Amino acid sequence: MEFEKRKAATLASIRSSVTDKSPKGFLDEPIIPLLETINHHPSYFTTSSCSGRISILSQPKPQSNASTKKKARGGTWLYITHDPADPESVISLLFPPQSTPIDPIDQPSELVFRFEPLIIAVECKDLLSAQFLVATAISAGFRESGITACGDGKRVIIAIRCSIRMEVPLGDTQKLMVSPEYVKFLVDIANEKMDANKKRTDGFSLALASNGFKNPDANDVEDDDDNYESLAANHDSSISNGDLHPGLQQQDLMPLSTISINGEPVEKLHLWGHSACAMDKTDRKEVIVFGGFGGFGRHARRNESMLLDPSCGTLKLAGVNESPSPRLGHSASMVGDLMFVIGGRADPLNILNDVWMFDVSKCEWSSQKCIGSEFPPRHRHAAATVGSKVYIFGGLNNDKILSTLHVLDTKDLQWKEVEQRGQWPCARHSHDMVTYGSQLFMFGGYNGEKVLDDLYSFDVQTCTWKLEVVSGKWPQARFSHSMFVYKHIIGIIGGCPVSQNCQDLIMLDLKHRLWRSVRLEFMNKELFVRSTASVLGDDLIVVGGGAACYAFGTKFSEPVKINLLQSVTMSENHVPPQPEDASIEVDKDNAHFKTETSLSQPCVIQLDRKYAKCGKDILKNFGWLDLERKVYSHEKGLYICFPVTEKFAELFHEKQLLGKGLEGSEEDHLISQLTKGLSLKELSSSVALDLLKELGARKLTNVAVETKKVAKSPLQRMKEAITPILKQKGLPEELLDELPQRWERLGDIIVLPVTSFKDPAWSSISEEVWSAVALSLSANRLARQGRVEANGTRDSTLEILVGDDGWVDHRESGILYSFNATKCMFSWGNLSEKLRMGNMACQNEVVVDLFAGIGYFVLPFLVRAKAKLVYACEWNPHAIEALRHNVEANSVSDRCIILEGDNRITAPKGVADRVCLGLIPSSEGSWVTAIQALRPEGGILHVHGNVKDSDMSSWAEHVSKTFSDIAKAEGRSWEVTVEHIEKVKWYAPRIRHLVADVRCR
């Protein structure tokens, strides 16, 4: 609880308008997205940071009688920038014209030119969280990162940093010892270091994203000006998103199932702004996907027609002779076996109003010429089908947001603008609409000024709109979301702004006219923004969606399916929080009748949204804000409610009794001054209470506000589940010491370490224990790691504890690895090296992998590095089985030749531009084979090995000399050099896993 309090206080300080303690007074803009990403994670918050800077520091010279103890001497910055420095600006500062001399200084000061790289201090919830973040930072190049404080009763603090700093004395304020040319030389070096610092920072952001961290400000944008998600996310930044939603009670998570794609590459489904329609027939259950932005290769607008069978994951292109032009933001509606695609955007200047028909049975497109009333071009509109008619509402045509309702009769292809009656919705785009019976239901959208959360129904028989009011917790305002219909349920999923509430599956129960929801268990932090949701049987198929994030680059979501039958059941079993209507307002006229009991009841202060930021600052400054309870919105966001302490409730009550207020002029003056930055410290508590009263603060009592409870860790849940089993069986509680502190995940298998549950006593209760452990870790399958067999094939000895078999699908960096975990070993620690190999320029290269395994490096070479051809040598039959499957699943089998057996016999000779020797502890037994595999002109060897950290230099010399000797023996007059040593991971204490990049030429 103390960690959460410190985090809440720190983040509130960061987001307040008050300057911080740094010389500049505010955060460095280049790393704000990175800081937000770290702070969004429940186990971390940043306490200080610098993005990296180039500076000239003027500092006092050391005194001759000063102690030898190192001590900061202070000083002032003459120059500082967090971006690459301009050499001319620095030179003109240091070497000004004679007409503008530097101000004289009484005592000369040293001038020091500095470059300092990124440094971030992070407080972590526990030691395991700290170790994980340090390891991630080190893998991104911040090799000086480490834990700076921990221990019993201490806060766990880590520092993320590296050693590419520089510090050069220039002379003093009376005489410079350097020339302008040398200063320019220093600036150029510093700018190179600044560039390297940025690359490492970006790499750290990517590493966080790949490990499930989420940027809360990730926005859905394209390669042009269609950036409404970004605009909406920044529309009201005075209060953080985390303050605006009511807390959710703890509830079970609804799992998502990733659809393993075969046939066409899964990257073809990495789209947003596309369309999808379901063919839900007895003999054919498919999702038809068309258009959108993204796709395989360079991201662009698409016009591919694809058929996805979610039951087996087959994705295939529909063979068509013609198709609509590439587009996004269009609509697609099914009428029988015909899909009608309407409108969209071909480019920023070309908004469409054409109609295309796709005959699913014939896989044929045809352009439709329509008659009737004019249908203006539009995109980001909503469409729904009733019988043979397609209804279109709203949308965007350049800068014009539309509010018209049109209907297309697909029988005679006639457009008609519908005469709307009733409570007509405002103009909007990026909303969604579905059909239930003879009614259309529409939710949300964006009207150009704010994000909407209204629900409308339209009766197609009476042409009447109705603003719906239903019970239950109202969904958050959103746009670019998806809607669907399942039985008597209307569902909403995803949307923007991307916040915690958009990770819920929202369901409107039309029988009981009640909103329900279930929290989704996000595996890879999916971004369901501009995705599609299609119902097939009891499954919801979600395709695409994503965002272009400032820090992470473009991110797309994988195709997933959600069991709707289970979701509905879970939502019906979940008791929602007490509705806001249950709050009771204090009667100001009868305030003196309130008893002491009423004063001690939980209270909140309600403020108009426009005064919420000011009110929050006041409450926080005087210690009146209750940080253990959650801030929430009221009446669809018109008001913000802040939980307050009992002390404040008493003070505010006394102030009401006195009936004392401010004169209008003084109130206006104070509000004006606060807006301009008047320090709250200049206000007395009495004046602050008066100001809150004049801002319209209202005290509400008996309000059900959720406490900021700390979720139980999986280890806590495990202990609570196993303790009663031990007591029932009469076994000592000391066995709990053998519970694992950490574990790993392979696909849907949770893998326990080999050191856990070692006592023989566990075997007598194994069946009950394994079930309890699996439940506490939310695992479908549970396994325990064994030692890798010390044989030539390095077999896995992993033991399945819960589940049928050991075959898993594990996805890394867009690559699918499938293998039998009980037969094949898999190393998590090699991720950075796999990424490095995938980033090699191998487009026209032939690669030989002498120890291919299941495709650890074969697949990165083929999928990411685009190697021309890879020879994969392997002798473990279980690994070969997985390797054959993986090259097929990743659609690269046509560029891979698998050679089964001892590589010293099977490996090709004289063909390779690059050879990978990925065997540890040593691959030396195949070094001759590697030299023989290279082309006569030479090439590159990637040589793996386990080496003592004190022997790195001697190992590099041994590698270079041995390969040189082998080359000479093979008749190759090559120059052999070690160009780079990559530190992959610590294999054991003082033993590193290294990779030497050896150039032969």
Side-chain angles (χ1 to χ4, degrees):
M1 184 62 71
E2 291 301 317
F3 174 85
E4 281 74 20
K5 286 183 179 179
R6 289 195 298 271
K7 178 171 182 176
T10 301
L11 296 188
S13 175
I14 290 174
R15 292 162 181 162
S16 73
S17 59
V18 181
T19 58
D20 59 36
K21 296 180 180 180
S22 66
K24 186 171 60 171
F26 50 90
L27 297 175
D28 295 345
E29 186 174 348
I31 57 168
I32 288 177
L34 174 59
L35 300 182
E36 288 290 340
T37 298
I38 296 172
N39 290 328
H40 193 67
H41 195 285
S43 297
Y44 308 102
F45 67 91
T46 58
T47 59
S48 62
S49 63
C50 176
S51 65
R53 63 193 177 198
I54 299 171
S55 64
I56 299 175
L57 179 67
S58 172
Q59 61 185 15
K61 289 188 174 183
Q63 300 296 319
S64 57
N65 58 351
S67 65
T68 56
K69 185 177 180 181
K70 186 175 181 180
K71 184 179 180 181
R73 288 178 273 156
T76 57
W77 277 321
L78 298 184
Y79 176 88
I80 185 168
T81 178
H82 295 275
D83 297 309
D86 176 21
E88 297 304 320
S89 298
V90 176
I91 292 171
S92 62
L93 174 70
L94 292 173
F95 302 94
Q98 292 299 320
S99 58
T100 57
I102 298 178
D103 291 338
I105 299 176
D106 294 335
Q107 295 295 327
S109 298
E110 293 180 346
L111 296 181
V112 182
F113 182 91
R114 287 179 166 184
F115 168 77
E116 296 162 280
L118 173 136
I119 182 168
I120 304 176
V122 183
E123 181 170 346
C124 308
K125 193 171 185 178
D126 49 46
L127 189 58
L128 285 177
S129 300
Q131 291 171 337
F132 170 81
L133 196 58
V134 167
T136 305
I138 290 174
S139 70
F142 293 98
R143 300 189 182 279
E144 300 294 318
S145 300
I147 300 173
T148 60
C150 68
D152 293 338
K154 291 184 179 179
R155 299 163 62 184
V156 182
I157 307 290
I158 71 168
I160 298 167
R161 57 195 176 194
C162 64
S163 60
I164 58 173
R165 61 184 62 86
M166 67 180 290
E167 185 168 322
V168 181
L170 303 177
D172 60 34
T173 50
Q174 291 183 346
K175 183 178 181 181
L176 293 175
M177 307 302 294
V178 296
S179 66
E181 292 77 13
Y182 187 73
V183 170
K184 185 178 185 303
F185 172 72
L186 291 179
V187 172
D188 290 341
I189 294 177
N191 285 341
E192 290 177 3
K193 290 181 176 290
M194 181 67 84
D195 183 60
N197 178 68
K198 182 180 184 303
K199 289 179 179 177
R200 293 189 186 192
T201 304
D202 293 342
F204 183 42
S205 296
L206 286 169
L208 293 178
S210 67
N211 281 287
F213 283 64
K214 184 175 71 174
N215 184 340
D217 294 327
N219 300 318
D220 167 17
V221 297
E222 299 168 18
D223 58 341
D224 44 50
D225 58 353
D226 188 11
N227 195 3
Y228 296 96
E229 282 74 8
S230 176
L231 291 173
N234 297 323
H235 179 67
D236 185 0
S237 59
S238 61
I239 302 174
S240 63
N241 283 342
D243 291 337
L244 298 183
H245 60 80
L248 293 175
Q249 290 183 338
Q250 196 126 11
Q251 63 183 102
D252 293 333
L253 299 180
M254 181 65 209
L256 306 180
S257 300
T258 301
I259 302 174
S260 297
I261 300 299
N262 57 76
E264 294 293 324
V266 68
E267 286 80 6
K268 286 184 177 289
L269 294 179
H270 290 175
L271 301 163
W272 66 59
H274 55 290
S275 63
C277 291
M279 282 287 292
D280 194 3
K281 296 185 175 182
T282 305
D283 59 341
R284 188 171 186 179
K285 293 184 179 294
E286 291 179 321
V287 176
I288 309 162
V289 181
F290 172 75
F293 175 84
F296 188 75
R298 184 181 183 278
H299 297 150
R301 296 172 189 80
R302 303 291 178 180
N303 65 340
E304 292 174 320
S305 310
M306 295 176 282
L307 303 176
L308 171 63
D309 184 344
S311 63
C312 60
T314 301
L315 178 67
K316 58 184 180 181
L317 290 175
V320 294
N321 54 353
E322 65 172 334
S323 63
S325 60
R327 65 189 67 200
L328 77 164
H330 54 282
S331 64
S333 307
M334 291 298 298
V335 179
D337 286 347
L338 305 176
M339 181 176 77
F340 289 85
V341 168
I342 300 174
R345 193 178 70 150
D347 59 59
L349 301 177
N350 188 11
I351 312 302
L352 307 171
N353 66 344
D354 53 353
V355 177
W356 284 78
M357 184 182 75
F358 180 65
D359 189 323
V360 180
S361 60
K362 299 178 182 178
C363 278
E364 289 182 358
W365 281 104
S366 58
S367 177
Q368 306 298 301
K369 293 185 178 180
C370 302
I371 58 175
S373 61
E374 180 187 3
F375 177 71
R378 65 190 67 202
H379 65 114
R380 288 178 174 259
H381 52 279
T385 303
V386 180
S388 63
K389 296 181 178 180
V390 179
Y391 288 82
I392 304 282
F393 181 84
L396 191 63
N397 185 1
N398 293 318
D399 294 330
K400 184 178 181 181
I401 303 176
L402 307 172
S403 62
T404 54
L405 178 67
H406 289 76
V407 60
L408 173 66
D409 191 329
T410 59
K411 289 182 178 179
D412 57 10
L413 295 176
Q414 181 169 335
W415 279 111
K416 178 183 177 183
E417 183 174 349
V418 179
E419 228 178 275
Q420 305 173 73
R421 294 191 285 270
Q423 298 167 297
W424 194 342
C426 68
R428 66 190 65 204
H429 66 78
S430 306
H431 50 296
D432 205 2
M433 187 166 65
V434 293
T435 302
Y436 185 82
S438 62
Q439 287 185 304
L440 309 178
F441 284 86
M442 182 176 70
F443 181 85
Y446 187 57
N447 68 359
E449 295 182 355
K450 66 177 182 177
V451 185
L452 305 172
D453 66 347
D454 46 11
L455 175 70
Y456 283 91
S457 64
F458 180 78
D459 190 315
V460 300
Q461 297 175 347
T462 62
C463 295
T464 304
W465 284 104
K466 179 184 177 184
L467 178 63
E468 295 286 349
V469 178
V470 296
S471 302
K473 182 192 169 190
W474 201 270
Q476 288 291 106
R478 68 190 71 200
F479 66 108
S480 294
H481 52 284
S482 303
M483 295 179 68
F484 61 90
V485 176
Y486 173 69
K487 298 182 178 178
H488 61 281
I489 300 292
I490 289 177
I492 303 172
I493 187 170
C496 191
V498 180
S499 66
Q500 187 178 21
N501 290 280
C502 290
Q503 295 176 7
D504 293 340
L505 180 63
I506 308 296
M507 289 170 281
L508 173 60
D509 185 334
L510 291 175
K511 283 186 178 179
H512 301 95
R513 296 186 62 77
L514 176 67
W515 287 113
R516 304 181 189 275
S517 68
V518 62
R519 175 59 55 85
L520 300 174
E521 183 178 22
F522 281 70
M523 298 172 292
N524 298 310
K525 300 300 179 187
E526 287 80 0
L527 291 170
F528 293 145
V529 178
R530 302 190 79 178
S531 57
T532 56
S534 308
V535 177
L536 286 179
D538 291 325
D539 287 327
L540 180 68
I541 312 301
V542 183
V543 173
C549 307
Y550 174 79
F552 303 150
T554 304
K555 173 178 171 56
F556 293 96
S557 296
E558 302 295 327
V560 300
K561 61 182 175 182
I562 304 168
N563 187 290
L564 291 175
L565 186 60
Q566 184 180 354
S567 300
V568 172
T569 303
M570 287 176 63
S571 71
E572 291 173 348
N573 292 335
H574 172 55
V575 180
Q578 182 178 349
E580 295 169 357
D581 295 340
S583 62
I584 302 173
E585 181 185 346
V586 174
D587 184 351
K588 295 182 180 179
D589 296 330
N590 298 307
H592 58 281
F593 292 115
K594 299 298 179 184
T595 65
E596 288 297 318
T597 303
S598 69
L599 287 176
S600 64
Q601 292 173 344
C603 295
V604 300
I605 287 296
Q606 175 180 290
L607 282 164
D608 188 288
R609 183 186 180 93
K610 64 183 177 181
Y611 297 129
K613 178 66 168 62
C614 180
K616 180 182 177 183
D617 288 344
I618 294 172
L619 293 171
K620 183 175 177 295
N621 182 70
F622 289 93
W624 295 333
L625 184 65
D626 186 350
L627 298 177
E628 295 187 5
R629 293 186 293 151
K630 292 188 175 181
V631 178
Y632 66 92
S633 61
H634 186 49
E635 294 188 16
K636 298 184 181 181
L638 292 177
Y639 301 99
I640 307 300
C641 296
F642 297 97
V644 292
T645 62
E646 290 185 17
K647 177 66 176 175
F648 174 82
E650 295 172 4
L651 292 173
F652 198 73
H653 174 66
E654 292 171 2
K655 184 64 64 175
Q656 288 176 319
L657 293 180
L658 293 172
K660 180 182 176 182
L662 294 171
E663 294 298 326
S665 60
E666 187 176 353
E667 170 212 346
D668 294 339
H669 173 71
L670 270 175
I671 295 175
S672 173
Q673 291 300 307
L674 283 172
T675 304
K676 293 178 180 177
L678 175 68
S679 174
L680 292 172
K681 295 179 181 179
E682 299 177 33
L683 300 180
S684 67
S685 60
S686 177
V687 173
L689 286 168
D690 285 332
L691 183 56
L692 284 171
K693 186 169 177 286
E694 295 302 328
L695 291 176
R698 301 165 62 195
K699 185 173 71 171
L700 311 180
T701 59
N702 292 337
V703 180
V705 181
E706 186 189 4
T707 303
K708 292 182 178 179
K709 297 178 180 177
V710 181
K712 292 180 180 178
S713 69
L715 179 58
Q716 288 176 306
R717 296 200 301 266
M718 195 189 308
K719 285 183 178 179
E720 291 177 1
I722 293 178
T723 299
I725 298 175
L726 295 178
K727 289 182 178 179
Q728 183 182 0
K729 300 297 183 180
L731 295 174
E733 288 194 15
E734 287 74 15
L735 288 173
L736 294 174
D737 295 337
E738 294 189 5
L739 297 187
Q741 301 292 316
R742 58 186 299 275
W743 43 86
E744 294 170 325
R745 180 182 290 273
L746 271 180
D748 66 340
I749 298 181
I750 295 292
V751 182
L752 306 177
V754 67
T755 54
S756 61
F757 300 102
K758 293 197 321 185
D759 195 291
W762 291 109
S763 61
S764 64
I765 55 172
S766 59
E767 186 173 340
E768 296 168 89
V769 167
W770 302 143
S771 298
V773 172
L775 185 62
S776 63
L777 299 181
S778 302
N780 296 323
R781 291 187 287 173
L782 185 71
R784 181 167 53 186
Q785 189 63 271
R787 305 288 182 187
V788 176
E789 291 283 6
N791 55 15
T793 56
R794 291 176 57 80
D795 293 333
S796 168
T797 56
L798 182 135
E799 175 190 6
I800 296 294
L801 305 174
V802 175
D804 298 329
D805 60 57
W807 272 94
V808 295
D809 292 335
H810 178 73
R811 188 174 292 277
E812 275 184 2
S813 306
I815 299 173
L816 178 66
Y817 296 90
S818 297
F819 56 97
N820 188 336
T822 65
K823 303 294 183 183
C824 303
M825 56 82 68
F826 187 88
S827 174
W828 287 266
N830 294 343
L831 174 60
S832 62
E833 183 63 11
K834 284 182 274 188
L835 286 172
R836 194 172 76 95
M837 292 298 103
N839 289 328
M840 296 289 174
C842 301
Q843 285 85 348
N844 297 310
E845 291 187 352
V846 174
V847 180
V848 173
D849 189 336
L850 295 179
F851 304 96
I854 65 170
Y856 308 109
F857 299 108
V858 170
L859 295 174
F861 279 130
L862 290 168
V863 177
R864 296 177 63 88
K866 309 298 182 186
K868 177 181 177 182
L869 180 66
V870 175
Y871 289 92
C873 303
E874 180 56 46
W875 66 4
N876 183 337
H878 303 297
I880 290 172
E881 180 185 7
L883 178 59
R884 294 189 191 281
H885 176 274
N886 291 335
V887 294
E888 289 287 345
N890 288 279
S891 303
V892 290
S893 58
D894 59 326
R895 293 185 285 124
C896 183
I897 298 175
I898 298 175
L899 303 172
E900 186 171 356
D902 189 331
N903 60 41
R904 291 168 291 190
I905 300 171
T906 63
K909 297 181 179 180
V911 299
D913 299 285
R914 191 181 300 269
V915 178
C916 182
L917 298 101
L919 179 67
I920 53 175
S922 175
S923 59
E924 195 160 353
S926 294
W927 286 8
V928 172
T929 306
I931 290 292
Q932 293 173 343
L934 286 176
R935 299 173 60 187
E937 297 84 0
I940 298 176
L941 308 172
H942 300 291
V943 185
H944 292 238
N946 285 349
V947 184
K948 286 185 179 180
D949 59 348
S950 58
D951 296 342
M952 287 176 53
S953 297
S954 59
W955 180 74
E957 292 175 4
H958 169 69
V959 169
S960 177
K961 183 179 184 307
T962 304
F963 275 110
S964 181
D965 292 344
I966 294 172
K968 289 178 182 177
E970 292 293 323
R972 304 295 189 187
S973 56
W974 292 335
E975 178 188 355
V976 178
T977 56
V978 175
E979 292 190 335
H980 173 72
I981 298 288
E982 182 72 15
K983 300 172 183 176
V984 179
K985 64 179 184 291
W986 287 105
Y987 183 81
R990 303 188 65 80
I991 303 292
R992 285 188 182 273
H993 176 182
L994 303 178
V995 178
D997 295 344
V998 181
R999 171 79 66 175
C1000 302
R1001 54 189 168 192

